[in-house]
Amino acid sequence: MASPNIDDIDLHILGELQQDGRMTNVELARKVGLTAPPCLRRVRALEENGAINSYHAVVNPAMLGYTITVFAMVSLKSQAEADLKAFEDHIAALPEVRECHMLNGEIDFILKVVARDLQSFQQFLTSKLTPAPNVVSVKTSLTIRTSKTLPGVPLPV
């Protein structure tokens, strides 16, 4: 359920921007059926209320030499808030970790890690991840192929 202050036009704006965050305000306004000034006001309001967090380019990792993507499932010794925070702070400083999600269940965190090759991932694993605060085990799965990756959430467009 959308926030009560987000209407159908806002959802349409968000959907269009998820697909192409570089479009001009004039182009966006045309697509959502507004004139440019009210469209820009709505976009700014969506940014200010936190519905839009950021804009970024989706780069091709392989073109930049990152040929390996690994998902690491991390279990911690303790789930006390201070221990969780210490682990999250450690992970926040590791640029190879592109995503970190705390989970419910047997695994405490799942991480998306990129590396240039298997050897550099192994170095990362043994020198930065397994010695991290409170880590008891790390299970990894190397991706073979990515068949779907979409930003954001499903919105009507």
Side-chain angles (χ1 to χ4, degrees), residues 116-147:
R116 294 196 177 277
D117 53 37
L118 205 48
Q119 183 178 359
S120 63
F121 174 72
Q122 182 181 0
Q123 176 67 26
F124 166 82
L125 181 64
T126 58
S127 68
K128 296 180 182 176
L129 186 54
T130 54
N134 201 32
V135 170
V136 69
S137 73
V138 178
K139 297 176 184 173
T140 61
S141 291
L142 180 68
T143 61
I144 303 297
R145 169 175 60 221
T146 300
S147 58

Side-chain angles (χ1 to χ4, degrees), residues 86-138:
F87 178 77
E88 289 172 325
D89 289 346
H90 178 80
I91 292 305
L94 302 177
E96 299 91 343
V97 177
R98 305 313 298 169
E99 294 181 29
C100 175
H101 304 275
M102 185 176 177
L103 303 178
N104 177 21
E106 220 174 291
I107 304 298
D108 294 307
F109 288 90
I110 187 166
L111 311 176
K112 180 181 176 183
V113 181
V114 297
R116 294 196 177 277
D117 53 37
L118 205 48
Q119 183 178 359
S120 63
F121 174 72
Q122 182 181 0
Q123 176 67 26
F124 166 82
L125 181 64
T126 58
S127 68
K128 296 180 182 176
L129 186 54
T130 54
N134 201 32
V135 170
V136 69
S137 73
V138 178

Side-chain angles (χ1 to χ4, degrees), residues 51-64:
I52 297 174
N53 291 329
S54 67
Y55 298 91
H56 64 276
V58 178
V59 300
N60 182 333
M63 293 288 294
L64 299 171

